Amino acid sequence: SHTGSFKDLGMTVLVSMVHQMRCEGQDIPAIVCASTGDTSAALAAYGAAARIPVIVLLPKDKISVSQLIQPIANGALTLSIRTDFDGCMRLVRELVQKENVYLANSMNSLRIEGQKTVAIEMVQQFDWTVPDWIIIPGGNLGNVTALGKGFLEMQQMGIIDRVPGIAVAQAANANPLYNSYVKDFQSFEAVAAKDTLASAIRIGDPVSWERAIRVMRQFDGVVEEATENELADASARADRTGLFTCPHTGVALAALEKLLARRVITPDSRVVVVSTAHGLKFPEVKVKYHQDQLRDYDVAPARANHPVEVGADFDQVRGAVFDSLEAAFATSAGVG
Ligand SMILES: Cc1ncc(COP(=O)(O)O)c(C=O)c1O
């Protein structure tokens, strides 16, 4: 992904279409979106490449520094608004209703058309077979809508003969779909999203909730939630295998662990966990985790790792190496 998250898949389609519309003479002076930081990065990048003015509405102090600098670097009008994502979304809706600017949020089906290709890529990578389960972090719920659409269309075309189970993973601090799931999707209520390390899914009033619930019903889907400690720990655990996961991927991995424990997913299942962004976009969370500075989020880091500072001296370096090797040996041998 060019801008470090799955948002590129839908945005390249949307911006290409707007570019074509402008070439055909349509009056579209600018494209606009509200964002928790990843949609705005994708829109700013593709808009810059197509030379189309971009406006992004971001919740002030609620996105990472990397996410903020992306649209700034790409030359977008970057509005840092003293509200949360849901507040930005309300302002964007009003802006597109009253002014001649083009909407790039996922209510625009061009985004869904681009994002549905994730289903095709997945099946292609499994040699045209279908995984048993897909776990996907959910915020505004456009991505799960797109995933479902991709699988249903492949089934209709006879490319696959069954669909996978879908599990949406939400942060417990921003969990309106989870609340609806525990009531069998009989009702849906927006929540006031609380602060979460998974800041890109800090969304209490998702625009695509109706479409997402339709998908969940069609796929007999489940929703699981993860606390801050669960998501941070799952992310750190995955990193120990050589990955560098973002907190949202941590939410999905924590959901996997919980669904396995509940035996909703069995150990012999083939499961895809959708990693929605690169961990490098969220260095603040990683640094604070390893420095044990996430106590405000009730995170007790089980896998914190620290740099060892030593002088430029052979004996000090050798000492540090052997201390570390001995500690590792003691742990693996079960002594000490
Ligand atoms: C990194 C990341 N993961 C997950 C999501 C959730 O996707 P959606 O809003 O389509 O549910 C988003 C965006 O909101 C995101 O930026």
Side-chain angles (χ1 to χ4, degrees):
S1 139
H2 173 63
T3 64
S5 88
F6 75 95
K7 303 284 183 178
D8 291 349
L9 278 182
M11 205 55 84
T12 180
V13 172
L14 182 138
V15 174
S16 300
M17 290 300 295
V18 173
H19 180 58
Q20 186 180 338
M21 291 185 246
R22 279 164 57 104
C23 289
E24 288 168 359
Q26 280 199 46
D27 176 27
I28 304 177
I31 313 179
V32 63
C33 76
S35 179
T36 51
D38 290 324
T39 304
S40 42
L43 175 59
Y46 290 97
R51 301 214 172 100
I52 303 172
V54 163
I55 305 158
V56 299
L57 279 71
L58 298 168
K60 186 174 176 340
D61 298 332
K62 294 185 177 66
I63 65 170
S64 73
V65 172
S66 311
Q67 288 176 315
L68 179 60
I69 200 63
Q70 286 183 290
I72 290 174
N74 291 144
L77 171 60
T78 305
L79 301 177
S80 185
I81 303 185
R82 289 184 293 274
T83 181
D84 58 8
F85 169 80
D86 296 308
C88 292
M89 196 64 234
R90 281 191 290 276
L91 287 164
V92 161
R93 282 179 195 258
E94 195 175 340
L95 201 60
V96 295
Q97 251 168 23
K98 296 185 177 163
E99 308 299 337
N100 183 25
V101 284
Y102 191 89
L103 175 73
N105 281 103
S106 56
M107 293 113 94
N108 186 327
S109 58
L110 291 172
R111 287 271 311 282
I112 305 295
E113 289 307 303
Q115 284 175 209
K116 77 182 180 191
T117 57
V118 69
I120 304 166
E121 275 189 58
M122 232 178 253
V123 169
Q124 185 187 25
Q125 286 176 24
F126 279 124
D127 222 0
W128 302 104
T129 62
V130 178
D132 299 316
W133 280 97
I134 296 167
I135 306 184
I136 185 164
N140 226 4
L141 304 178
N143 211 20
V144 64
T145 304
L147 183 74
K149 190 167 196 284
F151 274 105
L152 290 178
E153 287 182 2
M154 277 192 288
Q155 193 180 37
Q156 279 155 15
M157 285 188 274
I159 296 170
I160 54 174
D161 55 10
R162 68 180 181 96
V163 293
I166 290 184
V168 172
Q170 292 209 294
N173 281 354
N175 61 353
L177 191 70
Y178 177 78
N179 293 341
S180 173
Y181 165 71
V182 294
K183 287 185 276 179
D184 268 336
F185 298 121
Q186 294 302 321
S187 61
F188 181 89
E189 275 142 45
V191 300
K194 293 193 269 281
D195 192 11
T196 169
L197 298 169
S199 53
I201 54 174
R202 180 182 175 173
I203 298 174
D205 191 7
V207 298
S208 295
W209 69 266
E210 278 172 301
R211 295 187 296 182
I213 287 182
R214 213 174 306 136
V215 166
M216 296 309 277
R217 289 211 173 101
Q218 279 166 313
F219 285 74
D220 212 7
V222 300
V223 185
E224 186 52 271
E225 62 174 2
T227 65
E228 298 301 295
N229 193 49
E230 286 167 345
L231 75 88
D233 194 51
S235 176
R237 188 174 163 196
D239 287 359
R240 287 290 178 101
T241 70
L243 298 171
F244 197 72
T245 53
C246 78
H248 322 85
T249 307
V251 172
L253 289 165
L256 170 62
E257 288 174 14
K258 293 172 91 169
L259 292 169
L260 275 167
R262 280 173 41 204
R263 303 209 51 90
V264 175
I265 296 179
T266 52
D268 58 344
S269 304
R270 193 157 59 156
V271 182
V272 175
V273 175
V274 180
S275 175
T276 45
H278 199 293
L280 286 171
K281 292 186 89 171
F282 303 90
E284 299 92 340
V285 178
K286 291 260 184 256
V287 169
K288 286 186 177 164
Y289 176 88
H290 288 286
Q291 292 179 343
D292 192 6
Q293 285 177 3
L294 294 175
R295 294 285 163 167
D296 289 352
Y297 291 85
D298 287 331
V299 173
R303 294 178 175 82
N305 190 19
H306 308 279
V308 180
E309 200 175 319
V310 290
D313 169 80
F314 176 79
D315 287 333
Q316 282 189 43
V317 171
R318 186 177 181 281
V321 169
F322 276 86
D323 284 352
S324 160
L325 289 177
E326 272 163 23
F329 178 75
T331 312
S332 65
V335 288

